[in-house]
Every structure is written in structure tokens, then in C-alpha cells.
Amino acid sequence: MRFPWLKLVTILLIIWAVVGGVIYWAHSAKATPESVMRYLDEHPVANASPQERDKVMEKVAKELNKLDYEERREVRMSKKLDAFFRTMSVQEQMRFLDLTLPTGFKQMMDALNKMTPEKRKQFVEKTLADMKKHEGEEATDEERKNLDTNGQKIIDQGFKAFYSDASAETKMDVAPLIEQLQKNLQGVR
């Protein structure tokens, strides 16, 4: 009589160990802002071979695309992504943008669509205030170079995402921001 119970307990323990291992593996495989930033720190591309640079860039893009909007924002705010981006050649930057912009803009549109009208209004007002605060500032040579090389791609992707993914209500709420962006872009060009 003891043998079947012992066998059953052993089988249950094995099943729980496997399930626990799978859960642990799945949790550790999930991208987090911290894991992306840690990867950026551990894999500098400045002196890497072209193949290594490509591999790191693809891994960062893949992990970044797994993050939700707020998590991506956390990585951007850390400035580690900016430093990583600056070490890339123009061609690598264009490729990285191709790998990450569509997902990023889609997430941003989803986040805007989910906001209440009041939250969207606050977002637009804050962004417009930030834009006005920086209105008279001259761009540095590096910023101008980046705008010339990658700016049009970012602008095109952003407007494409806005016009295709934003709800009608979001489009109305964000219209003042879009108008100001267009005015600013006309002044830059």
C-alpha cells in the first residue's frame, strides 16, 4: 500500500520541479528595462567586429521590442540607448531604427489611445510646453547631423503610425501637438 503513494508523491515532486524550472526560465527570459540596460553595459559595440556589432544590435532591438511602452521609456530615459546609438555607423543606425521604430510608435499610439481625454490633454500640454521651452535653442552639429540622417525616417514612421493607429478621438486631442511639430519641422528645413 505504501508503494503507490510513494510513487505518486515522487511523480508529483518531479512534475512540480519541471513546472518550477519552466516558470523560472520563462521569467528570466522575459525582457525587462534592467536586462536591456545590463546587456548594453556588458556588450559595448565601439571596438567590436562588424559581425559582433550586428549581433548585439539585433539582440538589443529584439529585447527592446519585447518591452511595453513604459518599459521602453525607462530604457530611453536612462540614456544608455543614446550612447549605444551614437557608437553605430549611419547605416547601423538606419537598420536599428528599421528594427525598433514600428513597434515603438505602435506602442505609443496604443498608449495614447488608452489614455483618458484628460490624460491626453495633459500629455499634449506638457509636450507643447517642453517644445516652447526649447524653441529658441540651436541644435548642435551632432544633433543636426542625426536629424539629417535619421530624422526623416523617424518623422515618417511617427506620422504613419499616428495616422494609421490613432483613434479619431486621439487624433483630435493630439492635433495641436502635430501642428506644432509640423511648424517646428518647417522652421528646421
Side-chain angles (χ1 to χ4, degrees), residues 38-65:
R38 185 173 48 253
Y39 187 83
L40 287 169
D41 286 339
E42 293 171 356
H43 297 86
V45 294
N47 297 318
S49 72
Q51 295 83 6
E52 290 173 2
R53 293 170 69 87
D54 214 35
K55 184 178 168 186
V56 170
M57 180 179 47
E58 286 186 16
K59 170 84 171 169
V60 170
K62 181 181 172 188
E63 295 301 302
L64 197 59
N65 286 337

Side-chain angles (χ1 to χ4, degrees), residues 57 61 64-65 72 81 84-85 88-105 146-147 149-155 157:
M57 180 179 47
L64 197 59
N65 286 337
R72 281 176 80 117
L81 201 55
F84 171 72
F85 193 75
M88 293 183 200
S89 69
V90 172
Q91 292 81 15
E92 289 171 330
Q93 289 176 350
M94 296 290 272
R95 183 151 179 267
F96 186 75
L97 291 174
D98 286 339
L99 293 171
T100 59
L101 281 180
T103 302
F105 279 123
N146 284 338
L147 182 60
T149 56
N150 299 316
Q152 194 60 47
K153 179 181 284 289
I154 294 168
I155 292 163
Q157 282 283 333

Side-chain angles (χ1 to χ4, degrees), residues 16-34:
W16 279 108
V18 169
V19 168
V22 169
I23 290 171
Y24 176 77
W25 175 79
H27 181 68
S28 65
K30 183 186 181 316
T32 64
E34 295 78 20

